[in-house]
Amino acid sequence: MDIAIKDGKIVEKVDEKKAEVVDASGMIVMPGGVDIHCHIAGAEVNSGRLLRPEDHVKDVEVKTALTRSGVGYSIPSTFTTGYRYSRMGYTTVMNPSMPPLEARHTHEELDDTPMVDKATYPLLGDWWFVLEHLRDGLIEECAAHVAWMMTATKGYAIKIVNPGGLESWGFGRNVKSLDDHVPYFNITPREILRGLCKVNKLLNLPHTIHVHTNNLGKPGNYITALETMKCVEDLADGNRPVIHITHCQFCAFKGSDWQTMSSGAEEIAKYVNHHNHVTLDMGQVIFTDTTTMTADGPFQYGLYTLTGNKWVNHDVETETTSGIVPFRYKRKSAVHATQWSIGLELALLIKDPWKIYMTTDHPNGGPFTAYPNIIAWLMSRVARKKTLSKISKRARRKSLLPSIDRELSFYELAIVTRAGQAKALSLTQKGHLGVGADADVAVYNVNPEQVDPSKKYKTVRRAFKRAAYTIKGGEIVAKDGQIVRPIFGKTFWVDVKTSLPTEVNDDLKRKFREYWTVEYENYSIPDRFLHVPAPIPVKAEV
Ligand SMILES: [Zn+2]
């Protein structure tokens, strides 16, 4: 069918005599790609760049008449990040981990990331005032505080990382279960998760709570992942999800140590197939050299002791922690190869593609530029078999992949790479090509009716690496993998309308003076600070 575009939107029809025609016959047309979780901007990413000079040497983005130069393989510079997403047909990306105190830096870098619309999630799971409010059972006060926080940091969703564990890390400790107590605050991960889930509902935020579970990256942690999903089961609203478990591969490990580590994907898939209150993204591992970075400070310390590699550890005042460690995933490592298998198992065993989305947790599982490889694995048994034949024997023996015949169709692929992600984010103008949608379109040079099944993986890998056309807001911005028109994307943030008192009181101002290095007056980011601010008005329940 014809798709008509006018003034940046998909419309019913246009004047055909005057319109510019893009002939996409024999190709696949999809909405622009949407990435729900990729670390592309902010203090953490930038520290990663400083830590990895070797990452810059091996991958250089050459300047053209239209585009800027850049460097970086696993942590590309901002402009390079925008160009590379655009070349693959992506038009919207979400930066998932922003310490509120670092919001200014994060938005500066997001503004410097061209070609895509974007948003970012403030880390609130270990924020002192959230912990205090939830400990005291003050859900509405906490909601008012979070509403203020979203506006102050220009945030989009509530991010929770290792709830309670990050504050415990300030005391040199961690939490091991959902019912462990956080030192001083006397609150448990379960109470944080449930409290913020309630706050999220009260404020009617467009996305659910976005959760990196406790015990991430440890053998046996699939139990924690299941308990995390279960702990908000009773807060479900009919079929509307109330929790997103991010990079689920990293919390789907069975076993009691690294020797016995195996896949817990079957158990997680079984649960998700029977429940509608949860969505997930994969956190797929790629066999390559990359840089891990997360707010989960204690996890990164563990990774540092495991690898002996370079390490950055950071305590962000009253707010959160973070850590960075370079990492190489090896085919011949039983653990790494099992991780590779788990990501794909989750995506293939969870029946409904609207529940699990494609990510690498860039750059944690590998750089986002590897998406075409993941697409090949998801769509082709042959591609999986080929990689399986090269991995560690022990991992191959344990892998569930040989028993899985499923190959995603192009429709399912469109769901796991854009439609599902847009829906989970309530970005109602993204992820589809209906009238009224943003004219963000990706055209891939592959004809589904003529794909040779034995060569399918090669065909799709090539097609999704370089979109034939990427159209952003109605403009052709990339063609055959070349940037032809550099543009600036918007930054979405939620502007919560609530009857709760969100003006900051003297008590908080006093705390700013006592606890932070930044004064309250310098903390909030004004709208005008953003290049193209796109506030999304949200009406709270209270
Ligand atoms: Zn992440």
Side-chain angles (χ1 to χ4, degrees), residues 37 39 96-97 159 212 246-247 293-294 361-362 364:
H37 190 113
H39 301 260
S97 177
K159 176 72 184 295
H212 158 139
T246 190
H247 40 69
M293 53 180 65
T294 161
D361 182 17
H362 162 85
N364 286 293

Side-chain angles (χ1 to χ4, degrees), residues 220-233:
N221 64 8
Y222 81 102
I223 304 241
T224 313
L226 286 172
E227 280 176 359
T228 304
M229 296 185 238
K230 281 181 195 159
C231 96
V232 292
E233 211 179 292

Side-chain angles (χ1 to χ4, degrees), residues 228-263:
T228 304
M229 296 185 238
K230 281 181 195 159
C231 96
V232 292
E233 211 179 292
D234 63 309
L235 301 176
D237 249 348
N239 279 336
R240 273 184 70 188
V242 290
I243 187 167
H244 179 85
I245 305 288
T246 190
H247 40 69
C248 191
Q249 173 274 127
F250 288 105
C251 56
F253 302 171
K254 256 191 197 169
S256 48
D257 56 26
W258 292 116
Q259 290 303 312
T260 56
M261 179 263 197
S262 64
S263 169

